[in-house]
Amino acid sequence: MLTVLFYVLLGLGAAHFIYERIILPSIRLHYRNQLFALRDVARERIIEGGSESSVQAATLVHDSLNNAINRLHLLTLPNKFRAQKRVAEDPAIRQKIKREVDVFKRCDDEEIVKVLIKSGQVLENVLVFNSLMLLLYMLPFVLAVVFFVKVVKTASSVVQWVKGRELEEAIMLLPDPQVRQVVYA
C-alpha cells in the first residue's frame, strides 16, 4: 500500500512539474499575446484622441494592461481570495477602485469598453489555468463532500418517509374497503 502511495505521489509530482514548468508558460504566453493586442488597440485610441473621458479611459486601460501583462503569474485562487478580503477590509482601496470604475462609466468610446471586457475575460481564463492543478488536487475532497451531502439528503428523506403517518391514519380512520385499497392496491 505504501508503495502504491509512493508511485501515486511520484506521478502527481511529475504531472505537476510538467504542467507548471512546460505547459503553463505556453498558455500564459498565449494569453499575454492577446493582452498585447488589446493594449495596442488602447494605444491606437490614445493616439487618435477623442473626448477627454475616452482618452482618460484608454490611458487607464493601457496602464492596467501593462500591469496585467507583467503579473499574470499572480492570478491564482489563493491570491484572489486574499485580494477580495483585503479590498473588503480597506475602504481606501475600494474608493480607488470606485474612482477608476467611474472613469469607465463616463467613457463614450465603445472600443475601449470592448477592450476592457475582453481583457477581463482573458484574465479569468488565466486564473483558471493558473489554478488548474490546485483544482485537480481538491477534486477528490469536493467529490467526497458532494457524496456526503447526497447521502445525508437521501437518508433524511428516507427517515421523513418512514416517519410518515399515512398508514396509521388510514388504518385508524378509514373503513375496511378503503383500507384494502390503500394497503393492497
Side-chain angles (χ1 to χ4, degrees), residues 111-149:
E111 193 70 27
I112 293 299
V113 174
K114 287 180 184 176
V115 166
L116 182 67
I117 292 170
K118 178 66 175 162
S119 64
Q121 292 168 348
V122 169
L123 294 177
E124 287 174 359
N125 291 341
V126 171
L127 175 68
V128 168
F129 282 109
N130 281 348
S131 302
L132 190 60
M133 289 307 288
L134 175 66
L135 295 173
L136 287 177
Y137 292 148
M138 291 177 59
L139 185 64
F141 300 110
V142 170
L143 291 176
V145 168
V146 168
F147 177 74
F148 181 73
V149 167

PDB file of all heavy atoms in Angstrom, residues 111-149:
ATOM      1  N   GLU A 111     -15.134  51.017 -28.273  1.00  0.00           N
ATOM      2  CA  GLU A 111     -13.951  50.182 -28.484  1.00  0.00           C
ATOM      3  C   GLU A 111     -13.174  49.977 -27.181  1.00  0.00           C
ATOM      4  O   GLU A 111     -12.715  48.873 -26.895  1.00  0.00           O
ATOM      5  CB  GLU A 111     -13.052  50.816 -29.548  1.00  0.00           C
ATOM      6  CG  GLU A 111     -11.981  49.903 -30.064  1.00  0.00           C
ATOM      7  CD  GLU A 111     -12.526  48.764 -30.918  1.00  0.00           C
ATOM      8  OE1 GLU A 111     -13.588  48.918 -31.522  1.00  0.00           O
ATOM      9  OE2 GLU A 111     -11.868  47.715 -30.951  1.00  0.00           O
ATOM     10  N   ILE A 112     -13.046  51.018 -26.393  1.00  0.00           N
ATOM     11  CA  ILE A 112     -12.333  50.910 -25.115  1.00  0.00           C
ATOM     12  C   ILE A 112     -13.101  49.998 -24.162  1.00  0.00           C
ATOM     13  O   ILE A 112     -12.509  49.175 -23.461  1.00  0.00           O
ATOM     14  CB  ILE A 112     -12.120  52.311 -24.486  1.00  0.00           C
ATOM     15  CG1 ILE A 112     -11.155  53.129 -25.334  1.00  0.00           C
ATOM     16  CG2 ILE A 112     -11.601  52.205 -23.067  1.00  0.00           C
ATOM     17  CD1 ILE A 112      -9.780  52.525 -25.465  1.00  0.00           C
ATOM     18  N   VAL A 113     -14.405  50.111 -24.154  1.00  0.00           N
ATOM     19  CA  VAL A 113     -15.223  49.248 -23.297  1.00  0.00           C
ATOM     20  C   VAL A 113     -15.077  47.790 -23.724  1.00  0.00           C
ATOM     21  O   VAL A 113     -14.953  46.888 -22.885  1.00  0.00           O
ATOM     22  CB  VAL A 113     -16.698  49.704 -23.318  1.00  0.00           C
ATOM     23  CG1 VAL A 113     -17.583  48.737 -22.562  1.00  0.00           C
ATOM     24  CG2 VAL A 113     -16.826  51.112 -22.753  1.00  0.00           C
ATOM     25  N   LYS A 114     -15.060  47.549 -25.040  1.00  0.00           N
ATOM     26  CA  LYS A 114     -14.865  46.181 -25.538  1.00  0.00           C
ATOM     27  C   LYS A 114     -13.497  45.643 -25.144  1.00  0.00           C
ATOM     28  O   LYS A 114     -13.364  44.474 -24.782  1.00  0.00           O
ATOM     29  CB  LYS A 114     -15.024  46.139 -27.055  1.00  0.00           C
ATOM     30  CG  LYS A 114     -16.451  46.282 -27.530  1.00  0.00           C
ATOM     31  CD  LYS A 114     -16.526  46.239 -29.033  1.00  0.00           C
ATOM     32  CE  LYS A 114     -17.939  46.488 -29.505  1.00  0.00           C
ATOM     33  NZ  LYS A 114     -18.042  46.545 -30.967  1.00  0.00           N
ATOM     34  N   VAL A 115     -12.469  46.491 -25.220  1.00  0.00           N
ATOM     35  CA  VAL A 115     -11.121  46.073 -24.818  1.00  0.00           C
ATOM     36  C   VAL A 115     -11.120  45.706 -23.338  1.00  0.00           C
ATOM     37  O   VAL A 115     -10.529  44.698 -22.927  1.00  0.00           O
ATOM     38  CB  VAL A 115     -10.088  47.191 -25.120  1.00  0.00           C
ATOM     39  CG1 VAL A 115      -8.770  46.928 -24.423  1.00  0.00           C
ATOM     40  CG2 VAL A 115      -9.881  47.325 -26.618  1.00  0.00           C
ATOM     41  N   LEU A 116     -11.783  46.504 -22.536  1.00  0.00           N
ATOM     42  CA  LEU A 116     -11.841  46.238 -21.100  1.00  0.00           C
ATOM     43  C   LEU A 116     -12.546  44.913 -20.817  1.00  0.00           C
ATOM     44  O   LEU A 116     -12.070  44.101 -20.020  1.00  0.00           O
ATOM     45  CB  LEU A 116     -12.557  47.384 -20.390  1.00  0.00           C
ATOM     46  CG  LEU A 116     -12.641  47.274 -18.877  1.00  0.00           C
ATOM     47  CD1 LEU A 116     -11.256  47.383 -18.265  1.00  0.00           C
ATOM     48  CD2 LEU A 116     -13.551  48.343 -18.322  1.00  0.00           C
ATOM     49  N   ILE A 117     -13.666  44.672 -21.471  1.00  0.00           N
ATOM     50  CA  ILE A 117     -14.413  43.427 -21.266  1.00  0.00           C
ATOM     51  C   ILE A 117     -13.596  42.226 -21.731  1.00  0.00           C
ATOM     52  O   ILE A 117     -13.510  41.201 -21.043  1.00  0.00           O
ATOM     53  CB  ILE A 117     -15.779  43.493 -21.983  1.00  0.00           C
ATOM     54  CG1 ILE A 117     -16.668  44.522 -21.285  1.00  0.00           C
ATOM     55  CG2 ILE A 117     -16.449  42.127 -22.034  1.00  0.00           C
ATOM     56  CD1 ILE A 117     -17.944  44.847 -22.033  1.00  0.00           C
ATOM     57  N   LYS A 118     -12.969  42.340 -22.904  1.00  0.00           N
ATOM     58  CA  LYS A 118     -12.160  41.237 -23.434  1.00  0.00           C
ATOM     59  C   LYS A 118     -10.965  40.956 -22.527  1.00  0.00           C
ATOM     60  O   LYS A 118     -10.632  39.796 -22.272  1.00  0.00           O
ATOM     61  CB  LYS A 118     -11.697  41.590 -24.860  1.00  0.00           C
ATOM     62  CG  LYS A 118     -10.825  40.555 -25.498  1.00  0.00           C
ATOM     63  CD  LYS A 118     -11.560  39.268 -25.764  1.00  0.00           C
ATOM     64  CE  LYS A 118     -10.631  38.323 -26.510  1.00  0.00           C
ATOM     65  NZ  LYS A 118     -11.077  36.953 -26.456  1.00  0.00           N
ATOM     66  N   SER A 119     -10.335  42.008 -22.007  1.00  0.00           N
ATOM     67  CA  SER A 119      -9.186  41.789 -21.118  1.00  0.00           C
ATOM     68  C   SER A 119      -9.635  41.101 -19.834  1.00  0.00           C
ATOM     69  O   SER A 119      -8.914  40.257 -19.295  1.00  0.00           O
ATOM     70  CB  SER A 119      -8.475  43.101 -20.817  1.00  0.00           C
ATOM     71  OG  SER A 119      -9.303  43.987 -20.112  1.00  0.00           O
ATOM     72  N   GLY A 120     -10.838  41.430 -19.344  1.00  0.00           N
ATOM     73  CA  GLY A 120     -11.362  40.732 -18.168  1.00  0.00           C
ATOM     74  C   GLY A 120     -11.573  39.252 -18.429  1.00  0.00           C
ATOM     75  O   GLY A 120     -11.279  38.412 -17.570  1.00  0.00           O
ATOM     76  N   GLN A 121     -12.056  38.912 -19.619  1.00  0.00           N
ATOM     77  CA  GLN A 121     -12.248  37.504 -19.978  1.00  0.00           C
ATOM     78  C   GLN A 121     -10.911  36.777 -20.069  1.00  0.00           C
ATOM     79  O   GLN A 121     -10.786  35.628 -19.621  1.00  0.00           O
ATOM     80  CB  GLN A 121     -13.004  37.402 -21.296  1.00  0.00           C
ATOM     81  CG  GLN A 121     -14.431  37.872 -21.222  1.00  0.00           C
ATOM     82  CD  GLN A 121     -15.070  38.021 -22.594  1.00  0.00           C
ATOM     83  OE1 GLN A 121     -14.402  37.990 -23.620  1.00  0.00           O
ATOM     84  NE2 GLN A 121     -16.387  38.203 -22.605  1.00  0.00           N
ATOM     85  N   VAL A 122      -9.910  37.445 -20.628  1.00  0.00           N
ATOM     86  CA  VAL A 122      -8.581  36.835 -20.731  1.00  0.00           C
ATOM     87  C   VAL A 122      -8.025  36.571 -19.337  1.00  0.00           C
ATOM     88  O   VAL A 122      -7.477  35.492 -19.063  1.00  0.00           O
ATOM     89  CB  VAL A 122      -7.633  37.739 -21.549  1.00  0.00           C
ATOM     90  CG1 VAL A 122      -6.195  37.272 -21.437  1.00  0.00           C
ATOM     91  CG2 VAL A 122      -8.059  37.774 -23.009  1.00  0.00           C
ATOM     92  N   LEU A 123      -8.169  37.532 -18.438  1.00  0.00           N
ATOM     93  CA  LEU A 123      -7.650  37.357 -17.077  1.00  0.00           C
ATOM     94  C   LEU A 123      -8.392  36.257 -16.330  1.00  0.00           C
ATOM     95  O   LEU A 123      -7.783  35.525 -15.540  1.00  0.00           O
ATOM     96  CB  LEU A 123      -7.714  38.682 -16.317  1.00  0.00           C
ATOM     97  CG  LEU A 123      -6.798  39.777 -16.850  1.00  0.00           C
ATOM     98  CD1 LEU A 123      -6.987  41.058 -16.066  1.00  0.00           C
ATOM     99  CD2 LEU A 123      -5.349  39.354 -16.863  1.00  0.00           C
ATOM    100  N   GLU A 124      -9.690  36.105 -16.581  1.00  0.00           N
ATOM    101  CA  GLU A 124     -10.433  34.995 -15.976  1.00  0.00           C
ATOM    102  C   GLU A 124      -9.898  33.652 -16.474  1.00  0.00           C
ATOM    103  O   GLU A 124      -9.765  32.701 -15.698  1.00  0.00           O
ATOM    104  CB  GLU A 124     -11.916  35.114 -16.289  1.00  0.00           C
ATOM    105  CG  GLU A 124     -12.624  36.209 -15.527  1.00  0.00           C
ATOM    106  CD  GLU A 124     -14.061  36.388 -15.967  1.00  0.00           C
ATOM    107  OE1 GLU A 124     -14.528  35.677 -16.894  1.00  0.00           O
ATOM    108  OE2 GLU A 124     -14.734  37.257 -15.383  1.00  0.00           O
ATOM    109  N   ASN A 125      -9.603  33.563 -17.761  1.00  0.00           N
ATOM    110  CA  ASN A 125      -9.038  32.323 -18.312  1.00  0.00           C
ATOM    111  C   ASN A 125      -7.677  32.023 -17.695  1.00  0.00           C
ATOM    112  O   ASN A 125      -7.379  30.871 -17.370  1.00  0.00           O
ATOM    113  CB  ASN A 125      -8.911  32.424 -19.829  1.00  0.00           C
ATOM    114  CG  ASN A 125     -10.259  32.439 -20.520  1.00  0.00           C
ATOM    115  OD1 ASN A 125     -11.261  32.040 -19.956  1.00  0.00           O
ATOM    116  ND2 ASN A 125     -10.280  32.924 -21.742  1.00  0.00           N
ATOM    117  N   VAL A 126      -6.854  33.044 -17.529  1.00  0.00           N
ATOM    118  CA  VAL A 126      -5.538  32.853 -16.914  1.00  0.00           C
ATOM    119  C   VAL A 126      -5.707  32.367 -15.480  1.00  0.00           C
ATOM    120  O   VAL A 126      -4.974  31.474 -15.030  1.00  0.00           O
ATOM    121  CB  VAL A 126      -4.705  34.155 -16.974  1.00  0.00           C
ATOM    122  CG1 VAL A 126      -3.438  34.030 -16.153  1.00  0.00           C
ATOM    123  CG2 VAL A 126      -4.360  34.498 -18.417  1.00  0.00           C
ATOM    124  N   LEU A 127      -6.673  32.916 -14.757  1.00  0.00           N
ATOM    125  CA  LEU A 127      -6.931  32.482 -13.382  1.00  0.00           C
ATOM    126  C   LEU A 127      -7.268  30.991 -13.337  1.00  0.00           C
ATOM    127  O   LEU A 127      -6.761  30.265 -12.488  1.00  0.00           O
ATOM    128  CB  LEU A 127      -8.067  33.303 -12.774  1.00  0.00           C
ATOM    129  CG  LEU A 127      -8.542  32.895 -11.384  1.00  0.00           C
ATOM    130  CD1 LEU A 127      -7.457  33.171 -10.352  1.00  0.00           C
ATOM    131  CD2 LEU A 127      -9.815  33.619 -11.018  1.00  0.00           C
ATOM    132  N   VAL A 128      -8.082  30.539 -14.262  1.00  0.00           N
ATOM    133  CA  VAL A 128      -8.454  29.122 -14.297  1.00  0.00           C
ATOM    134  C   VAL A 128      -7.229  28.255 -14.575  1.00  0.00           C
ATOM    135  O   VAL A 128      -6.979  27.263 -13.880  1.00  0.00           O
ATOM    136  CB  VAL A 128      -9.555  28.864 -15.355  1.00  0.00           C
ATOM    137  CG1 VAL A 128      -9.749  27.375 -15.604  1.00  0.00           C
ATOM    138  CG2 VAL A 128     -10.849  29.514 -14.927  1.00  0.00           C
ATOM    139  N   PHE A 129      -6.433  28.630 -15.579  1.00  0.00           N
ATOM    140  CA  PHE A 129      -5.269  27.810 -15.923  1.00  0.00           C
ATOM    141  C   PHE A 129      -4.200  27.855 -14.835  1.00  0.00           C
ATOM    142  O   PHE A 129      -3.547  26.845 -14.572  1.00  0.00           O
ATOM    143  CB  PHE A 129      -4.682  28.234 -17.268  1.00  0.00           C
ATOM    144  CG  PHE A 129      -5.474  27.725 -18.431  1.00  0.00           C
ATOM    145  CD1 PHE A 129      -6.229  28.587 -19.203  1.00  0.00           C
ATOM    146  CD2 PHE A 129      -5.479  26.387 -18.758  1.00  0.00           C
ATOM    147  CE1 PHE A 129      -6.973  28.125 -20.272  1.00  0.00           C
ATOM    148  CE2 PHE A 129      -6.211  25.894 -19.819  1.00  0.00           C
ATOM    149  CZ  PHE A 129      -6.960  26.770 -20.586  1.00  0.00           C
ATOM    150  N   ASN A 130      -4.018  28.997 -14.195  1.00  0.00           N
ATOM    151  CA  ASN A 130      -3.036  29.085 -13.116  1.00  0.00           C
ATOM    152  C   ASN A 130      -3.449  28.254 -11.909  1.00  0.00           C
ATOM    153  O   ASN A 130      -2.600  27.797 -11.150  1.00  0.00           O
ATOM    154  CB  ASN A 130      -2.827  30.536 -12.678  1.00  0.00           C
ATOM    155  CG  ASN A 130      -1.926  31.301 -13.603  1.00  0.00           C
ATOM    156  OD1 ASN A 130      -1.269  30.740 -14.470  1.00  0.00           O
ATOM    157  ND2 ASN A 130      -1.893  32.605 -13.422  1.00  0.00           N
ATOM    158  N   SER A 131      -4.746  28.057 -11.712  1.00  0.00           N
ATOM    159  CA  SER A 131      -5.252  27.328 -10.545  1.00  0.00           C
ATOM    160  C   SER A 131      -5.673  25.901 -10.877  1.00  0.00           C
ATOM    161  O   SER A 131      -6.240  25.218 -10.027  1.00  0.00           O
ATOM    162  CB  SER A 131      -6.435  28.091  -9.957  1.00  0.00           C
ATOM    163  OG  SER A 131      -6.058  29.392  -9.605  1.00  0.00           O
ATOM    164  N   LEU A 132      -5.402  25.456 -12.086  1.00  0.00           N
ATOM    165  CA  LEU A 132      -5.891  24.148 -12.527  1.00  0.00           C
ATOM    166  C   LEU A 132      -5.359  22.998 -11.671  1.00  0.00           C
ATOM    167  O   LEU A 132      -6.124  22.111 -11.271  1.00  0.00           O
ATOM    168  CB  LEU A 132      -5.534  23.914 -13.995  1.00  0.00           C
ATOM    169  CG  LEU A 132      -6.168  22.703 -14.652  1.00  0.00           C
ATOM    170  CD1 LEU A 132      -7.690  22.818 -14.616  1.00  0.00           C
ATOM    171  CD2 LEU A 132      -5.698  22.570 -16.084  1.00  0.00           C
ATOM    172  N   MET A 133      -4.093  23.001 -11.344  1.00  0.00           N
ATOM    173  CA  MET A 133      -3.545  21.906 -10.540  1.00  0.00           C
ATOM    174  C   MET A 133      -4.146  21.919  -9.136  1.00  0.00           C
ATOM    175  O   MET A 133      -4.450  20.859  -8.586  1.00  0.00           O
ATOM    176  CB  MET A 133      -2.020  21.990 -10.470  1.00  0.00           C
ATOM    177  CG  MET A 133      -1.320  21.649 -11.783  1.00  0.00           C
ATOM    178  SD  MET A 133      -1.777  20.078 -12.539  1.00  0.00           S
ATOM    179  CE  MET A 133      -1.018  18.917 -11.463  1.00  0.00           C
ATOM    180  N   LEU A 134      -4.333  23.092  -8.566  1.00  0.00           N
ATOM    181  CA  LEU A 134      -4.980  23.183  -7.257  1.00  0.00           C
ATOM    182  C   LEU A 134      -6.387  22.609  -7.323  1.00  0.00           C
ATOM    183  O   LEU A 134      -6.805  21.862  -6.432  1.00  0.00           O
ATOM    184  CB  LEU A 134      -5.020  24.637  -6.776  1.00  0.00           C
ATOM    185  CG  LEU A 134      -5.785  24.901  -5.480  1.00  0.00           C
ATOM    186  CD1 LEU A 134      -5.089  24.225  -4.309  1.00  0.00           C
ATOM    187  CD2 LEU A 134      -5.923  26.384  -5.250  1.00  0.00           C
ATOM    188  N   LEU A 135      -7.109  22.942  -8.384  1.00  0.00           N
ATOM    189  CA  LEU A 135      -8.464  22.419  -8.544  1.00  0.00           C
ATOM    190  C   LEU A 135      -8.456  20.899  -8.695  1.00  0.00           C
ATOM    191  O   LEU A 135      -9.322  20.209  -8.152  1.00  0.00           O
ATOM    192  CB  LEU A 135      -9.144  23.074  -9.738  1.00  0.00           C
ATOM    193  CG  LEU A 135      -9.386  24.580  -9.615  1.00  0.00           C
ATOM    194  CD1 LEU A 135      -9.910  25.135 -10.941  1.00  0.00           C
ATOM    195  CD2 LEU A 135     -10.328  24.885  -8.490  1.00  0.00           C
ATOM    196  N   LEU A 136      -7.471  20.373  -9.415  1.00  0.00           N
ATOM    197  CA  LEU A 136      -7.380  18.919  -9.574  1.00  0.00           C
ATOM    198  C   LEU A 136      -7.047  18.239  -8.250  1.00  0.00           C
ATOM    199  O   LEU A 136      -7.555  17.162  -7.951  1.00  0.00           O
ATOM    200  CB  LEU A 136      -6.333  18.565 -10.629  1.00  0.00           C
ATOM    201  CG  LEU A 136      -6.731  18.850 -12.071  1.00  0.00           C
ATOM    202  CD1 LEU A 136      -5.580  18.522 -13.012  1.00  0.00           C
ATOM    203  CD2 LEU A 136      -7.970  18.067 -12.457  1.00  0.00           C
ATOM    204  N   TYR A 137      -6.187  18.862  -7.441  1.00  0.00           N
ATOM    205  CA  TYR A 137      -5.855  18.296  -6.133  1.00  0.00           C
ATOM    206  C   TYR A 137      -7.055  18.323  -5.195  1.00  0.00           C
ATOM    207  O   TYR A 137      -7.208  17.442  -4.345  1.00  0.00           O
ATOM    208  CB  TYR A 137      -4.698  19.054  -5.487  1.00  0.00           C
ATOM    209  CG  TYR A 137      -3.369  18.894  -6.189  1.00  0.00           C
ATOM    210  CD1 TYR A 137      -2.445  19.915  -6.183  1.00  0.00           C
ATOM    211  CD2 TYR A 137      -3.035  17.720  -6.846  1.00  0.00           C
ATOM    212  CE1 TYR A 137      -1.222  19.779  -6.824  1.00  0.00           C
ATOM    213  CE2 TYR A 137      -1.831  17.571  -7.495  1.00  0.00           C
ATOM    214  CZ  TYR A 137      -0.922  18.604  -7.472  1.00  0.00           C
ATOM    215  OH  TYR A 137       0.278  18.469  -8.099  1.00  0.00           O
ATOM    216  N   MET A 138      -7.881  19.332  -5.329  1.00  0.00           N
ATOM    217  CA  MET A 138      -9.040  19.468  -4.447  1.00  0.00           C
ATOM    218  C   MET A 138     -10.235  18.639  -4.914  1.00  0.00           C
ATOM    219  O   MET A 138     -11.180  18.445  -4.151  1.00  0.00           O
ATOM    220  CB  MET A 138      -9.440  20.944  -4.345  1.00  0.00           C
ATOM    221  CG  MET A 138      -8.436  21.781  -3.597  1.00  0.00           C
ATOM    222  SD  MET A 138      -8.866  23.512  -3.557  1.00  0.00           S
ATOM    223  CE  MET A 138     -10.450  23.477  -2.763  1.00  0.00           C
ATOM    224  N   LEU A 139     -10.210  18.151  -6.140  1.00  0.00           N
ATOM    225  CA  LEU A 139     -11.334  17.416  -6.705  1.00  0.00           C
ATOM    226  C   LEU A 139     -11.783  16.230  -5.847  1.00  0.00           C
ATOM    227  O   LEU A 139     -12.988  16.074  -5.608  1.00  0.00           O
ATOM    228  CB  LEU A 139     -11.015  16.975  -8.134  1.00  0.00           C
ATOM    229  CG  LEU A 139     -12.138  16.292  -8.896  1.00  0.00           C
ATOM    230  CD1 LEU A 139     -13.296  17.267  -9.094  1.00  0.00           C
ATOM    231  CD2 LEU A 139     -11.645  15.788 -10.228  1.00  0.00           C
ATOM    232  N   PRO A 140     -10.883  15.370  -5.343  1.00  0.00           N
ATOM    233  CA  PRO A 140     -11.363  14.260  -4.506  1.00  0.00           C
ATOM    234  C   PRO A 140     -12.102  14.735  -3.248  1.00  0.00           C
ATOM    235  O   PRO A 140     -13.111  14.144  -2.849  1.00  0.00           O
ATOM    236  CB  PRO A 140     -10.083  13.514  -4.121  1.00  0.00           C
ATOM    237  CG  PRO A 140      -9.093  13.890  -5.152  1.00  0.00           C
ATOM    238  CD  PRO A 140      -9.446  15.269  -5.590  1.00  0.00           C
ATOM    239  N   PHE A 141     -11.635  15.813  -2.631  1.00  0.00           N
ATOM    240  CA  PHE A 141     -12.299  16.325  -1.439  1.00  0.00           C
ATOM    241  C   PHE A 141     -13.672  16.900  -1.784  1.00  0.00           C
ATOM    242  O   PHE A 141     -14.637  16.687  -1.048  1.00  0.00           O
ATOM    243  CB  PHE A 141     -11.427  17.389  -0.760  1.00  0.00           C
ATOM    244  CG  PHE A 141     -10.089  16.862  -0.338  1.00  0.00           C
ATOM    245  CD1 PHE A 141      -8.942  17.265  -0.991  1.00  0.00           C
ATOM    246  CD2 PHE A 141      -9.982  15.950   0.695  1.00  0.00           C
ATOM    247  CE1 PHE A 141      -7.707  16.775  -0.614  1.00  0.00           C
ATOM    248  CE2 PHE A 141      -8.745  15.452   1.078  1.00  0.00           C
ATOM    249  CZ  PHE A 141      -7.611  15.860   0.424  1.00  0.00           C
ATOM    250  N   VAL A 142     -13.750  17.592  -2.895  1.00  0.00           N
ATOM    251  CA  VAL A 142     -15.029  18.156  -3.319  1.00  0.00           C
ATOM    252  C   VAL A 142     -16.013  17.034  -3.637  1.00  0.00           C
ATOM    253  O   VAL A 142     -17.187  17.088  -3.238  1.00  0.00           O
ATOM    254  CB  VAL A 142     -14.838  19.090  -4.537  1.00  0.00           C
ATOM    255  CG1 VAL A 142     -16.167  19.491  -5.145  1.00  0.00           C
ATOM    256  CG2 VAL A 142     -14.026  20.314  -4.142  1.00  0.00           C
ATOM    257  N   LEU A 143     -15.547  16.015  -4.338  1.00  0.00           N
ATOM    258  CA  LEU A 143     -16.425  14.882  -4.646  1.00  0.00           C
ATOM    259  C   LEU A 143     -16.868  14.165  -3.375  1.00  0.00           C
ATOM    260  O   LEU A 143     -18.025  13.729  -3.278  1.00  0.00           O
ATOM    261  CB  LEU A 143     -15.725  13.909  -5.599  1.00  0.00           C
ATOM    262  CG  LEU A 143     -15.497  14.426  -7.016  1.00  0.00           C
ATOM    263  CD1 LEU A 143     -14.709  13.402  -7.828  1.00  0.00           C
ATOM    264  CD2 LEU A 143     -16.805  14.755  -7.693  1.00  0.00           C
ATOM    265  N   ALA A 144     -15.976  14.037  -2.397  1.00  0.00           N
ATOM    266  CA  ALA A 144     -16.342  13.402  -1.127  1.00  0.00           C
ATOM    267  C   ALA A 144     -17.410  14.214  -0.401  1.00  0.00           C
ATOM    268  O   ALA A 144     -18.360  13.650   0.141  1.00  0.00           O
ATOM    269  CB  ALA A 144     -15.107  13.234  -0.247  1.00  0.00           C
ATOM    270  N   VAL A 145     -17.272  15.528  -0.400  1.00  0.00           N
ATOM    271  CA  VAL A 145     -18.273  16.384   0.249  1.00  0.00           C
ATOM    272  C   VAL A 145     -19.606  16.280  -0.482  1.00  0.00           C
ATOM    273  O   VAL A 145     -20.658  16.165   0.156  1.00  0.00           O
ATOM    274  CB  VAL A 145     -17.769  17.847   0.313  1.00  0.00           C
ATOM    275  CG1 VAL A 145     -18.886  18.792   0.703  1.00  0.00           C
ATOM    276  CG2 VAL A 145     -16.609  17.960   1.283  1.00  0.00           C
ATOM    277  N   VAL A 146     -19.581  16.312  -1.813  1.00  0.00           N
ATOM    278  CA  VAL A 146     -20.820  16.193  -2.584  1.00  0.00           C
ATOM    279  C   VAL A 146     -21.489  14.844  -2.308  1.00  0.00           C
ATOM    280  O   VAL A 146     -22.705  14.767  -2.105  1.00  0.00           O
ATOM    281  CB  VAL A 146     -20.537  16.380  -4.096  1.00  0.00           C
ATOM    282  CG1 VAL A 146     -21.732  15.970  -4.935  1.00  0.00           C
ATOM    283  CG2 VAL A 146     -20.146  17.814  -4.384  1.00  0.00           C
ATOM    284  N   PHE A 147     -20.692  13.769  -2.265  1.00  0.00           N
ATOM    285  CA  PHE A 147     -21.230  12.444  -1.972  1.00  0.00           C
ATOM    286  C   PHE A 147     -21.835  12.415  -0.572  1.00  0.00           C
ATOM    287  O   PHE A 147     -22.936  11.889  -0.374  1.00  0.00           O
ATOM    288  CB  PHE A 147     -20.117  11.391  -2.099  1.00  0.00           C
ATOM    289  CG  PHE A 147     -20.565  10.008  -1.748  1.00  0.00           C
ATOM    290  CD1 PHE A 147     -21.368   9.290  -2.605  1.00  0.00           C
ATOM    291  CD2 PHE A 147     -20.180   9.432  -0.542  1.00  0.00           C
ATOM    292  CE1 PHE A 147     -21.792   8.013  -2.277  1.00  0.00           C
ATOM    293  CE2 PHE A 147     -20.593   8.164  -0.206  1.00  0.00           C
ATOM    294  CZ  PHE A 147     -21.400   7.439  -1.068  1.00  0.00           C
ATOM    295  N   PHE A 148     -21.145  12.990   0.398  1.00  0.00           N
ATOM    296  CA  PHE A 148     -21.645  13.026   1.773  1.00  0.00           C
ATOM    297  C   PHE A 148     -22.959  13.795   1.853  1.00  0.00           C
ATOM    298  O   PHE A 148     -23.905  13.369   2.518  1.00  0.00           O
ATOM    299  CB  PHE A 148     -20.598  13.648   2.695  1.00  0.00           C
ATOM    300  CG  PHE A 148     -21.017  13.704   4.131  1.00  0.00           C
ATOM    301  CD1 PHE A 148     -21.061  12.561   4.910  1.00  0.00           C
ATOM    302  CD2 PHE A 148     -21.395  14.906   4.700  1.00  0.00           C
ATOM    303  CE1 PHE A 148     -21.464  12.615   6.233  1.00  0.00           C
ATOM    304  CE2 PHE A 148     -21.804  14.971   6.021  1.00  0.00           C
ATOM    305  CZ  PHE A 148     -21.835  13.824   6.792  1.00  0.00           C
ATOM    306  N   VAL A 149     -23.049  14.922   1.171  1.00  0.00           N
ATOM    307  CA  VAL A 149     -24.279  15.724   1.170  1.00  0.00           C
ATOM    308  C   VAL A 149     -25.425  14.928   0.549  1.00  0.00           C
ATOM    309  O   VAL A 149     -26.551  14.928   1.055  1.00  0.00           O
ATOM    310  CB  VAL A 149     -24.058  17.066   0.437  1.00  0.00           C
ATOM    311  CG1 VAL A 149     -25.360  17.766   0.142  1.00  0.00           C
ATOM    312  CG2 VAL A 149     -23.137  17.966   1.245  1.00  0.00           C
TER     313      VAL A 149
END
